[in-house]
Amino acid sequence: MGTQIELTASDGVTISAYRADPAGKPRGGLIVCQEIFGVNVHVRGVCDRYAQEGYLAIAPAFFDRVQPGVELGYEPDDIAKGRELMQKVSIDNALKDVAAALAIASEAGKVGIVGYCWGGTVAWAAAGRLDGLSAAIPYYGGGIAGMADKKPRIPTMAHFGEKDHSISMADVEKIRAAQPDVIVHTYAAGHGFNCEMRGSYDKPSADLALSRSLEFLRQHVG
């Protein structure tokens, strides 16, 4: 279902991306923002799943800016490597890559953005800073609380785990208080609960979050 494509950002940097096309006419487009583990088999699977639901899904490989072809697993060494790479890619540069993906995804109509972990933070930033998006769905973005005062300019739904050791419920409440128009859902799960390859995977929470996300996309993207 998916293919590898290239994106050229506004600063001239070229990165790869994974593109998954639906079988029929797209309902709209969707940008999928990676975790700190690169555009790995899980992220490609997320794209494929949304393509099955009718969306043209594109996942930019943000880490290509510093190290092409990164695909990490979920062991401690992978986590350390992912954090190291993340620190070398600024949010500003990631947003340039999102904008490049948006230019292609918009061929399908309205475009939403979904992101996981660090990608959730990127998705939140995109909701407040980029033109051309119609909806944002960040999952457990650790940097969102630090940007809670930055109001999204588009409908936004956020998902968090109540047992997330890296994002406290106090941070989640801070986001709720600062942005009452943002829909915030919490789940009896930990960080990374959407990823079936992680020990923190929680299928009931992942399924519920996906159903809510699809309903949100149907409402705001198509």
Side-chain angles (χ1 to χ4, degrees), residues 124-125 128-129 143-153 171 173-180 182:
W124 178 274
R129 294 173 54 182
I144 295 176
M147 295 187 285
D149 61 330
K150 308 299 182 184
K151 183 177 176 63
R153 299 188 292 179
D171 280 346
E173 291 307 318
K174 176 182 176 181
I175 296 163
R176 276 196 172 117
Q179 303 298 342
V182 172

Side-chain angles (χ1 to χ4, degrees), residues 178-221:
Q179 303 298 342
D181 292 335
V182 172
I183 300 169
V184 177
H185 293 297
T186 63
Y187 304 82
H191 191 79
F193 67 77
N194 182 71
C195 178
E196 74 285 352
M197 303 179 74
R198 302 179 71 166
S200 56
Y201 175 59
D202 187 86
K203 188 177 189 303
S205 298
D207 289 349
L208 179 56
L210 177 61
S211 67
R212 287 168 167 169
S213 297
L214 288 170
E215 182 180 355
F216 195 67
L217 290 172
R218 298 280 191 266
Q219 181 180 356
H220 298 291
V221 174

Side-chain angles (χ1 to χ4, degrees), residues 34 46-47 67 80 94 123 129 131 173 175 192 198 206:
Q34 63 170 74
V46 170
C47 291
Q67 183 177 324
R129 294 173 54 182
D131 294 324
E173 291 307 318
I175 296 163
R198 302 179 71 166

Side-chain angles (χ1 to χ4, degrees), residues 23-38:
K25 181 180 178 181
R27 303 179 67 100
L30 186 67
I31 299 166
V32 178
C33 298
Q34 63 170 74
E35 301 173 295
I36 62 169
F37 307 103

